[in-house]
Amino acid sequence: MDCHRAGSQAKDKRIAGLEKHEIGKGDDPGGFVRDDLDNTVRQCMDCHSGGIQGAPKAVHKGLPPRHLKKLACQTCHIPYREVKAALIQDATHFNPAPGIFPPPKRIWTFYGPDARPWNYYGELHREGNKFQRVFTFVPVKVWYKGKIWPVNRVHSMWVGIIRPGVPGIDMVFMVDFFKLWKAHYDHPMTNFPALSKIRDDNGDGVPEVNRPVEIKALLGVVEKYLKSQGKLSKADRLVLVKDAAYTEDGVHWKTLNKLPWEATPYASVFKFSHDIYPADAALGAKGCTDCHSYKSSFFMRPVLVDLWDAKGNLRYEPNFKLLGYSKLAVDAGAFRQEILEPVLYYGFIFRNPNEWLVLWNPGLFATLLLPVLPFGLF
Ligand code: HEC
Ligand code: HEC
Ligand code: HEC
């Protein structure tokens, strides 16, 4: 409640003094619940500028001010996340993993932040809710409303129906989807034998519907089944939706409109604010090279950008591309902080420490000498 203040405790005019269970909230990019009250929660600086409740003042000596304008506090102060988190939700086939109960859950396959298959429902059934597997992972960085934020962008794949005059794409009812897969699973030779074409192409232990022949087989079977149930009209079109694209034949893809921070308009983006790490763990605590380096987890870390191609490979790109930075700008920053600054620093400190301290402050020296390349130029 210190953060999510309510009623007479709240400062924000939108909720202050309203004793109506109106609780200060954040801003969830994946939801539309009371967007009019977005960010009525206390902001980090409400406490960390004035020292409320003994909060240490955030000073950030030596950090060029541009960073605080462009980066959310959370981006540096949540360098890792340790939670139960799915990166991919795949609802295109029957999940063969052990222990999944009740059976209808088999139409979902989850993948952890490492993009490895994760038997979420099997675990849940075996261990109950008390067992909480957590993944430790580096969040993806995306632009959200003018700042870079740490997030989990969930990816998804499923079978949908485009109905004339109806906006968006409907998902095939999961009960229908389960029934047809179950029928096939019980008697593969007689019930929907075309589904046997779907197999594991990348050897990770679960099948994926990625090759055109698999996609066509699946859509054909779903069409046949739904028609037999009277649930598909002549004008309806069945499609496979994969992240921000869909296809009717597995060969030609059309792109969907999505917001820049999303992987797809049809799955959530979780923006992180909880579990702030101690200041010592923040990005930048070990130096500017935490980000400005050739191997930084910030700019260089590969992030998932598209699901399985026809060969079964996931597509990754370094995070800087997702952020819209050029390789040149990122390399220039890495060169400046990783190579140039140490050279200048050690070169001078050994000759005359005092002079260096006064005159040759390495940051100042580097800034004066170097064409400091603003990202915007590239
Ligand atoms: C309600 C007031 C409040 C809000 C809001 C708040 N903090 Fe804090 N924060 C504190 C207090 C108090 C401490 C000191 C806790 C302690 O010493 O045990 C603290 C500690 C910290 C520390 C640890 C400092 C250290 O020495 O390791 C960091 C980092 C931090 N906060 C960042 C944030 C960020 C980022 C946000 C916004 C997401 C935030 N805080 C929001 C009150 C707040
Ligand atoms: C570029 C990364 C970065 C950003 C952005 C950033 N911080 Fe920090 N922060 C650090 C680092 C590194 C430290 C530890 C070294 C230091 O104190 O300068 C730190 C220290 C702190 C501390 C501890 C201060 C102390 O003396 O104990 C607090 C509190 C804090 N930050 C809050 C914030 C808040 C609030 C914001 C957003 C307005 C923010 N930080 C944005 C990297 C960052
Ligand atoms: C959390 C990662 C992070 C850390 C830590 C960090 N930076 Fe940056 N830095 C960035 C990002 C992102 C930009 C681009 C901001 C923008 O879009 O304008 C940037 C831009 C800059 C720029 C502007 C010129 C350029 O390369 O485009 C300078 C100079 C810079 N940083 C210096 C530093 C120094 C010095 C430190 C250490 C005190 C530091 N940075 C620490 C992420 C970081």
Side-chain angles (χ1 to χ4, degrees), residues 132 136 140 157 263 346-347:
Q132 295 282 327
T136 304
V140 174
M157 199 162 148
Y346 291 114

Side-chain angles (χ1 to χ4, degrees), residues 187-227:
H187 302 285
M189 305 301 277
T190 46
N191 297 336
F192 311 117
L195 292 179
S196 303
K197 289 183 188 151
I198 296 169
R199 51 167 211 245
D200 176 13
D201 296 313
N202 57 12
D204 66 1
V206 291
E208 53 287 312
V209 182
N210 57 313
R211 289 176 298 127
V213 43
E214 294 172 324
I215 296 171
K216 259 191 224 148
L218 178 64
L219 295 181
V221 164
V222 175
E223 184 177 355
K224 204 163 143 195
Y225 179 85
L226 290 183
K227 280 198 171 140

Side-chain angles (χ1 to χ4, degrees), residues 107-300:
I107 52 177
W108 294 102
T109 307
F110 290 93
Y111 294 74
D114 52 2
R116 306 286 308 155
W118 168 33
N119 186 0
Y120 170 62
Y121 284 120
E123 261 168 32
L124 197 64
H125 178 60
R126 192 173 63 240
E127 315 279 352
N129 266 322
K130 276 191 200 136
F131 176 78
Q132 295 282 327
R133 173 184 303 265
V134 294
F135 294 94
T136 304
F137 61 96
V138 176
V140 174
K141 311 317 188 266
V142 298
W143 287 104
Y144 181 67
K145 299 190 181 170
K147 285 198 176 176
I148 296 174
W149 283 86
V151 302
N152 181 23
R153 316 190 304 160
V154 180
H155 297 252
S156 71
M157 199 162 148
W158 43 283
V159 178
I161 310 172
I162 298 181
R163 301 186 194 275
V166 179
I169 304 177
D170 280 346
M171 198 168 192
V172 170
F173 274 127
M174 287 329 249
V175 56
D176 293 317
F177 202 67
F178 173 71
K179 277 185 186 157
L180 77 87
W181 266 107
K182 179 79 170 58
H184 171 71
Y185 196 77
D186 290 344
H187 302 285
M189 305 301 277
T190 46
N191 297 336
F192 311 117
L195 292 179
S196 303
K197 289 183 188 151
I198 296 169
R199 51 167 211 245
D200 176 13
D201 296 313
N202 57 12
D204 66 1
V206 291
E208 53 287 312
V209 182
N210 57 313
R211 289 176 298 127
V213 43
E214 294 172 324
I215 296 171
K216 259 191 224 148
L218 178 64
L219 295 181
V221 164
V222 175
E223 184 177 355
K224 204 163 143 195
Y225 179 85
L226 290 183
K227 280 198 171 140
S228 76
Q229 303 293 307
K231 290 183 178 173
L232 201 69
S233 72
K234 275 222 174 84
D236 293 343
R237 287 146 57 209
L238 275 175
V239 292
L240 182 92
V241 183
K242 183 180 82 154
D243 271 358
Y246 66 90
T247 181
E248 286 181 66
D249 59 7
V251 181
H252 304 92
W253 293 83
K254 287 198 178 124
T255 41
L256 292 159
N257 290 330
K258 67 171 185 72
L259 295 164
W261 52 85
E262 294 173 328
T264 156
Y266 290 104
S268 282
V269 174
F270 295 97
K271 174 168 142 289
F272 299 143
S273 277
H274 291 153
D275 297 343
I276 297 288
Y277 274 62
D280 285 353
L283 286 179
K286 292 202 194 71
C288 313
T289 46
D290 279 359
C291 296
H292 297 289
S293 65
Y294 292 105
K295 284 192 178 158
S296 90
S297 69
F298 185 92
F299 289 117
M300 301 304 183

Side-chain angles (χ1 to χ4, degrees), residues 1-5 41-48 51-56 58 60 72-78 149 272-274 276-282:
M1 285 312 299
D2 284 330
C3 293
H4 295 269
R5 303 200 116 191
V41 70
R42 249 186 179 165
Q43 303 300 301
C44 313
M45 281 311 257
D46 292 348
C47 292
H48 284 289
I52 286 179
Q53 294 170 347
H60 303 110
C73 314
Q74 288 86 336
T75 302
C76 291
H77 287 287
I78 308 177
W149 283 86
F272 299 143
S273 277
H274 291 153
I276 297 288
Y277 274 62
D280 285 353

Side-chain angles (χ1 to χ4, degrees), residues 153 155 243-244 263 303-307 314-318 322:
R153 316 190 304 160
H155 297 252
D243 271 358
V303 296
L304 185 61
V305 292
D306 198 10
L307 297 179
L314 295 166
R315 197 160 70 80
Y316 285 83
E317 271 181 1
L322 198 64

